Amino acid sequence: MSHSRDAETVAQDLARQLIHPHLGFVLFFCSAEYDLEALGYALEQYFGGVTLVGCTTAGEITPQGYGRNCVSAIGFDHQHFSVASVLIEDMERFSLIDAQQLVEGLINDCRSSSLAPIKDHSFALTLFDGLSSREEVVLAALGAAFGRIPHFGGSAGDDNYLTHTYVYHGGRFHSDAAVVVLINTWLDFEVFSTHHIEPREDKLVVTQADSNERRVYELNAEPAAKAYADLVGVPVEALDHALFASHPLAVRINDRYYVRSIQKVNDDLSLTFYCAVETGIVLTAMRPGPLLPNLEALFEGLNDRLGEPLLTIGCDCFLRRLEGDTEGFADTISAFLRDHRVIGFNTYGEQCNGLHLNQTFTGVAIGRPGRSVRR
């Protein structure tokens, strides 16, 4: 990691910590406060010949726990990992055929290393421009194309400004784009997703929405912001990210709840969401449960199945971190992530096996050499 604000010093710091004879790939997460053009150039200069993929964040998860205004990175040893990546730029027109061709190309690239069979030994990572509003379209196609290959990911952030978010591929940062990475390894791993949100009795029906813009105009036939504020018990003017984090809404599919987090209140009292919303869906009011016990249970299970992970790559919704800041337990969660070797970032949305999620902790735990996972 690097806390430097100077792009070249960041690249020097990361190169000094990561470069070794077997380095094959670097994944990084950086604050949007950097001069991104300068950072992209410096990284390419100092890691010449090594593929780099990354994105901007709403906060970093570093070897020291939660970070701000810094860069956190992971180096992959090509003796253990075969990695292929590709950039998606035209997300608006991305189709199932495009996804199938993309996944086939990634598989062929990984297979050329003859490291491990693709089946049962590969997982995929996606990074999206977090303000593109195209996650669902692309994920639906990718989910079908990946088949049994497990997949996770996160949407890039910009330190909660909600103005510009970027993914990094091919030596520069891109907006309105996504990066897909396939990682093949002989090490054991497990892709996971968890949340600590519990249902209440209250319901809100979306009575008018623009699904393309993820914008809800009416809830229960009232202006959306007013109906939500009444549910929370505050005036509309009091609505902010902290309240959105502590009073989430979710759609129920079968017996599972999937959070649809609110991004902002608009001038016309409509609400913009981070996830897909459509006219006619029923949103259940939710409340956060205990966050730390949820993480403890997750890692207890991972340790049982994998042994103590070598590393966990985590995509942690920024609203979870905001809840920790507001309620005063962020330092406890930060220490937990540090002690369990989690590296990653705070996201504007998470992805798991074709689904776009909110207010979750999603990622992959990678086992240590010598362990055999019970499949």
Side-chain angles (χ1 to χ4, degrees):
M1 66 173 296
S2 175
H3 276 114
S4 174
R5 302 303 304 145
D6 175 69
E8 184 167 359
T9 305
V10 168
Q12 289 176 339
D13 288 346
L14 297 182
R16 184 179 65 253
Q17 295 170 62
L18 292 178
I19 286 181
H20 61 84
H22 303 297
L23 181 66
F25 176 75
V26 171
L27 176 66
F28 73 90
F29 310 103
C30 70
S31 166
E33 297 286 345
Y34 283 99
D35 179 337
L36 296 180
E37 184 176 355
L39 180 61
Y41 177 78
L43 288 171
E44 285 297 303
Q45 293 299 110
Y46 280 88
F47 285 89
V50 176
T51 300
L52 291 96
V53 163
C55 69
T56 58
T57 76
E60 299 77 52
I61 306 175
T62 79
Q64 299 171 5
Y66 280 147
R68 285 277 187 212
N69 301 318
C70 64
V71 181
S72 188
I74 306 166
F76 291 78
D77 187 322
H78 66 65
Q79 298 175 107
H80 305 303
F81 301 94
S82 177
V83 184
S85 65
V86 65
L87 179 72
I88 301 173
E89 291 188 281
D90 192 2
M91 292 195 288
E92 190 78 41
R93 296 179 178 82
F94 192 74
S95 67
L96 177 58
I97 293 175
D98 294 328
Q100 289 169 333
Q101 292 174 343
L102 180 152
V103 171
E104 183 179 356
L106 292 174
I107 288 174
N108 288 336
D109 285 350
C110 284
R111 190 174 277 145
S112 66
S113 299
S114 302
L115 189 67
I118 297 298
K119 183 180 178 183
D120 296 331
H121 295 278
S122 305
F123 62 88
L125 163 68
T126 49
L127 300 173
F128 280 81
D129 170 350
L131 299 176
S132 66
S133 300
R134 293 292 175 266
E135 287 97 332
E136 285 84 8
V137 173
V138 176
L139 287 172
L142 286 176
F146 280 134
R148 289 180 166 271
I149 296 174
H151 149 243
F152 79 99
S155 298
D158 64 348
D159 301 288
N160 305 352
Y161 289 113
L162 300 175
T163 53
H164 300 289
T165 60
Y166 299 91
V167 297
Y168 181 90
H169 187 272
R172 65 186 184 91
F173 287 89
H174 306 261
S175 60
D176 294 317
V179 178
V180 186
V181 183
L182 185 66
I183 300 175
N184 176 241
T185 180
W186 54 268
L187 297 176
D188 295 328
F189 62 84
E190 182 176 325
V191 169
F192 62 82
S193 183
T194 188
H195 68 79
H196 67 304
I197 308 299
E198 302 170 348
R200 295 166 46 190
E201 294 297 323
D202 305 280
K203 309 285 185 184
L204 294 170
V205 179
V206 178
T207 46
Q208 185 183 349
D210 181 339
S211 58
N212 289 329
E213 297 297 323
R214 298 175 177 171
R215 191 162 175 170
V216 173
Y217 292 93
E218 290 184 359
L219 291 167
N220 292 353
E222 287 190 277
K226 182 181 183 305
Y228 177 77
D230 289 345
L231 174 75
V232 175
V234 301
V236 170
E237 297 76 25
L239 295 177
D240 60 15
H241 280 129
L243 280 169
F244 299 154
S246 58
H247 297 84
L249 303 172
V251 61
R252 181 176 177 178
I253 301 175
N254 297 322
D255 292 327
R256 300 193 65 181
Y257 289 91
Y258 297 92
V259 174
R260 295 290 182 261
S261 293
I262 299 170
Q263 182 185 112
K264 63 181 178 179
V265 179
N266 301 303
D267 292 340
D268 60 0
L269 298 186
S270 63
L271 296 172
T272 300
F273 284 70
Y274 283 102
C275 252
V277 284
E278 298 177 355
T279 301
I281 65 171
V282 177
L283 295 171
T284 299
M286 309 286 283
R287 66 169 66 87
L291 198 155
L292 182 60
N294 175 261
L295 284 176
E296 289 172 337
L298 169 69
F299 278 89
E300 182 179 349
L302 292 171
N303 288 347
D304 286 345
R305 294 183 293 273
L306 294 174
E308 182 183 5
L310 176 69
L311 179 79
T312 296
I313 305 172
C315 301
D316 188 31
C317 181
F318 87 102
L319 291 171
R320 290 163 57 93
R321 179 165 176 175
L322 181 60
E323 180 192 340
D325 289 336
T326 303
E327 300 297 326
F329 57 79
D331 288 347
T332 301
I333 301 302
S334 176
F336 182 91
L337 297 175
R338 179 196 66 216
D339 293 345
H340 288 79
R341 300 176 62 82
V342 178
I343 302 294
F345 72 113
N346 297 115
T347 74
Y348 281 174
E350 305 78 59
Q351 301 112 41
C352 188
N353 295 327
L355 294 176
H356 185 208
L357 309 169
N358 287 145
Q359 239 160 314
T360 71
F361 177 63
T362 297
V364 63
I366 301 172
R368 295 175 181 273
R371 290 283 302 186
S372 179
V373 71
R374 297 191 294 275
R375 297 194 182 277

